Amino acid sequence: MFYRSFSAEVRRRFGEKLYKLSLDGGMSCPNRDGTLGYGGCIFCSGGSGEFAEGPCPSVEEQLEKAKARVAFKTEGKGRYIAYFQSYTNTYAPVERLRELFEPVIQRDDIAVLDIATRPDCLGWDVLELLSELNGIKPVWVELGLQTIHESTANYIRRGYTLEVYDRAVAELKARGIEVIVHMILGLPGETDEMIYDTASYIAKSGADGIKLQLLHVLRGTALAAEYEAGRFEALSLEHYTELLEGCISRLRPDMTVHRITGDGAKRELIAPMWSTDKKKVLSYINSAFERDALEQGSLFCP
């Protein structure tokens, strides 16, 4: 095994494969509603929720529809990860969050409550609610850091500083809540060393897991205008694989790698088009890992 994969870790911890059910909690984002800005981050087309079912009369209905989509894999058996994916899923009054999350985590068919959010949307009352829910079943919180470099963070309109991320991780970890951090490879203006610095920082920050994401240029985003104006180039498969190896080598050996590619909606994708052939991409990446004898943590420096 070249790295600590999500699928293997889930089987080890839960004794079975858990399928993710992508959900939409009906929330917005401070980067979209005018609190911090409008339009979201420069690369954002839909709050990372392109594969969620979308707003439904109830989360219960969303869960059943999501289960139906994977029924051919599960044969109607097993348990799931309830993944609140779209936009910022703690960006609401705590009473609303309790109404949303508590019935889900109490379900027998849900093994994990997985919540994607921003580090600047974790007030004390929200943290206390998450801690309470974590006492029922595991709660995972996913934070969209993307980069540690302030120049890039300003360019992509992230809207919070690195100190905010550090504080959020510390508060979550103090409550025993698992933290998964999103990182984008290929952001405009970043060198290979800048990308490796971000991976190293995440590894040392206390994060339990990481999602490594190729930068996708999607139609209708501010990033698309930058790309079409020739201000940056998308990564090649070869370069992306090299960066993946460098990042995974710098992670703590005990961290779980939840993702090494990521998916963009094909109908919206402008670049890089090679990423649409996921089977070919994963084959290439895994062959490179084997050829180069990749070992997670081999370059990690505590």
Side-chain angles (χ1 to χ4, degrees):
M1 180 61 67
F2 310 114
Y3 61 93
R4 195 182 186 97
S5 71
F6 170 71
S7 58
E9 182 64 8
V10 165
R11 282 193 179 277
R12 185 188 71 80
R13 290 171 58 181
F14 296 93
E16 61 183 309
K17 182 177 179 63
L18 302 178
Y19 288 92
K20 280 194 175 183
L21 307 179
S22 293
L23 305 170
D24 186 337
M27 294 176 219
S28 183
C29 170
N31 230 2
R32 300 183 72 90
D33 68 0
T35 301
L36 293 175
Y38 296 95
C41 294
I42 194 172
F43 50 78
C44 181
S45 66
S48 301
E50 289 87 351
F51 299 97
E53 178 66 27
C56 289
S58 69
V59 170
E60 179 75 20
E61 183 177 342
Q62 290 187 58
L63 282 166
E64 295 309 316
K65 288 185 176 182
K67 285 170 64 176
R69 287 199 299 272
V70 299
F72 71 99
K73 299 178 182 178
T74 65
E75 298 180 349
K77 303 174 183 177
R79 295 182 297 162
Y80 305 88
I81 298 169
Y83 181 28
F84 284 87
Q85 179 181 17
S86 299
Y87 298 112
T88 304
N89 290 282
T90 57
Y91 191 48
V94 71
E95 296 81 8
R96 165 62 180 152
L97 298 179
R98 181 180 293 279
E99 292 173 358
L100 195 65
F101 298 146
E102 199 166 59
V104 173
I105 204 169
Q106 295 283 6
R107 289 174 55 123
D108 291 338
D109 58 351
I110 298 300
V112 177
L113 179 64
D114 189 356
I115 302 168
T117 190
R118 291 168 56 94
D120 56 349
C121 293
L122 290 167
W124 181 87
D125 55 348
V126 174
L127 288 165
E128 290 301 295
L129 171 62
L130 297 179
S131 180
E132 179 184 332
L133 296 173
N134 193 50
I136 301 171
K137 289 177 186 173
V139 172
W140 299 348
V141 173
E142 302 197 17
L143 301 177
L145 177 65
Q146 320 308 357
T147 180
I148 63 167
H149 304 287
E150 294 301 329
S151 58
T152 312
N154 292 334
Y155 173 78
I156 65 175
R157 306 193 303 233
R158 190 178 67 191
Y160 65 84
T161 64
L162 190 57
E163 289 76 15
V164 174
Y165 163 80
D166 289 333
R167 187 163 57 248
V169 173
E171 293 287 356
L172 290 165
K173 295 302 297 177
R175 291 165 172 81
I177 296 170
E178 192 157 329
V179 178
I180 302 156
V181 181
H182 293 220
M183 173 184 172
I184 293 179
L185 283 64
L187 289 168
E190 292 209 341
T191 64
D192 293 7
E193 286 306 315
M194 292 172 73
I195 292 169
Y196 297 151
D197 286 346
T198 293
S200 295
Y201 192 96
I202 292 171
K204 297 173 185 177
S205 70
D208 301 282
I210 190 169
K211 284 187 173 180
L212 296 162
Q213 166 74 54
L214 167 69
L215 178 68
H216 288 121
V217 182
L218 302 176
R219 288 184 177 85
T221 63
L223 185 67
E226 294 283 287
Y227 178 77
E228 290 165 350
R231 296 193 178 100
F232 72 97
E233 295 182 359
L235 292 175
S236 67
L237 174 56
E238 295 75 15
H239 192 188
Y240 181 67
T241 303
E242 179 185 337
L243 291 171
L244 273 180
E245 291 187 332
C247 290
I248 292 173
S249 297
R250 289 166 170 81
L251 299 179
R252 292 195 326 273
D254 66 314
M255 288 180 69
T256 301
V257 180
H258 286 243
R259 184 170 66 196
I260 60 171
T261 54
D263 297 304
K266 291 183 180 180
R267 65 186 179 276
E268 303 294 339
L269 185 66
I270 295 175
M273 292 309 297
W274 58 259
S275 65
T276 61
D277 191 343
K278 189 169 184 178
K279 185 176 180 180
K280 180 180 178 180
V281 169
L282 290 175
S283 176
Y284 180 91
I285 290 172
N286 288 323
S287 294
F289 287 177
E290 183 173 5
R291 177 197 67 210
D292 300 332
L294 174 69
E295 182 182 352
Q296 179 176 333
S298 60
L299 297 179
F300 175 69
C301 182

